[in-house]
């Protein structure tokens, strides 16, 4: 049921995002497109010009390869096997992911914590058996959440956990890593213009074929058919995190999938959505999750300390938009909204 809802939601989001992208008739002729369902998400990859088909074939293969490798819920995946055993050796992809995850953990003061899995499991987000855990259960699981307790050798890929029962969850960066990989594959195939949309998480390759910027729509957190604004950009990932993307309701209360590692509960720090613009997809993905956990004030402070790395659009509980200074040119608020720049 939830999966179905999610599928519909991502499909709508996809339309919204692509609807916001202008396209001219001569561009359409040179466009190659592929829809793929993987990682629980509807994905669309569009390539333009010579070698476009070849780039799509390679992209699809890569998506399925990474899906198999990274799906935490399956014991046959690399991460699943390591979680079950408590140790193992990560492949090249896994090493890149864990290295970045640990970097993000340090950088965000623990707001991004790849060892969140035991808590995700308690809430039922790992198998769709949703339930509100008892506080005592949460405290027990939280004792296992500390990425600092992951013992990792980035050279050999050997990984183990300081405590029994610890487990990793790459869900917060997997799609960004995937879009980053696709960007590399598409460029390698000789394509200079492409749009990768992994369920609303977008990464652009180059500009549009006519040399102008892509225009990416950001979904309103409270209405899947509404767009809060658009970002004009090129060669960038535009990745959004929001509680509306995956949640369940119990006794009239909504519980979503982005967990505050300091409490074990869904992050409730004043934000309903965070969009990151960054030239690296995996960094954008990790930071969108982390800034959502931080909340508005901390997220703004964090941006000030890392303004060369990324730009962001924050939506607070009242629907107000806060946009980092670097997007003054690139961002347009929509639907009668106004943006406050910081
Ligand atoms: P995203 O949609 O990119 O914000 O990622 C949300 C996913 O990241 C969740 O479904 C979990 O798999 C994982 N996750 C949830 N909370 C955290 C957290 N605090 N740090 C790292 N990953 C998280
Ligand atoms: Mg993320």
């Amino acid at each position: 049921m939830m999966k179905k809802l999610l599928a519909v939601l991502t499909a709508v989001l996809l339309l919204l995002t692509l609807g916001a992208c202008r396209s001219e008739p001569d561009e359409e002729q040179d466009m190659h497109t592929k829809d793929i369902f993987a990682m629980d998400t509807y994905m669309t990859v569009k390539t333009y010009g010579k070698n476009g088909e070849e780039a799509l074939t390679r992209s699809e293969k890569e998506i399925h390869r990474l899906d198999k490798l990274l799906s935490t819920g399956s014991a046959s995946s690399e991460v699943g096997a390591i979680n079950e055993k408590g140790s193992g050796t990560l492949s090249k992809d896994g090493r890149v992911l864990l290295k970045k995850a640990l970097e993000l953990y340090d950088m965000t003061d623990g707001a991004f914590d790849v060892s969140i899995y035991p808590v995700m499991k308690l809430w039922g987000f790992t198998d769709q058996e949703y339930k509100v855990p008892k506080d005592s259960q949460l405290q027990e699981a939280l004792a296992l959440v500390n990425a600092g307790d992951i013992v990792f050798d980035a050279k050999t890929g050997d990984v183990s956990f300081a405590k029994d029962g610890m487990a990793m969850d790459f869900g917060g960066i997997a799609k960004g890593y995937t879009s980053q990989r696709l960007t590399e594959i598409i460029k390698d195939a000789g394509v200079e213009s492409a749009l990768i949309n992994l369920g609303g998480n977008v990464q652009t390759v180059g500009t549009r074929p006519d040399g102008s910027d892509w225009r990416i729509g950001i979904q309103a957190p409270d209405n899947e058919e509404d767009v809060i604004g658009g970002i004009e950009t090129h060669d960038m990932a535009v990745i959004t995190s929001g509680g509306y993307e995956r949640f369940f309701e119990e006794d009239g209360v909504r519980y979503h999938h982005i967990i505050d590692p300091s409490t074990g509960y869904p992050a409730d720090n004043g934000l309903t959505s965070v969009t990151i613009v960054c030239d690296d997809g995996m960094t954008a993905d990790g930071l969108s999750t982390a800034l959502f956990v931080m909340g508005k004030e901390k997220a703004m402070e964090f941006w000030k300390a890392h303004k060369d790395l990324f730009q962001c659009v924050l939506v607070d509980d009242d629907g107000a938009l806060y946009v980092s200074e670097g997007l003054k040119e690139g961002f347009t608020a929509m639907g009668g909204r106004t943006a406050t720049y910081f």
Side-chain angles (χ1 to χ4, degrees), residues 172-173 241 285-286 288-289:
I173 46 173
S241 283
D285 197 355
S288 71
T289 310

Side-chain angles (χ1 to χ4, degrees), residues 97-120:
L97 278 148
L98 185 53
K99 191 162 173 266
K100 173 60 77 174
L102 296 178
E103 239 174 74
L104 286 164
Y105 174 75
D106 286 338
M107 192 180 179
T108 65
D109 230 352
F112 189 92
D113 194 325
V114 73
S115 69
I116 199 73
Y117 193 75
V119 174
M120 295 305 291

Side-chain angles (χ1 to χ4, degrees), residues 43 267 287 316:
M43 306 177 167
L287 289 180
D316 76 2

Side-chain angles (χ1 to χ4, degrees), residues 66-85:
L66 291 176
D67 191 8
K68 221 168 139 198
L69 194 80
L70 299 174
S71 63
T72 318
S74 144
S76 63
S77 77
E78 178 175 297
V79 193
I82 290 174
N83 282 346
E84 208 166 87
K85 215 171 145 226

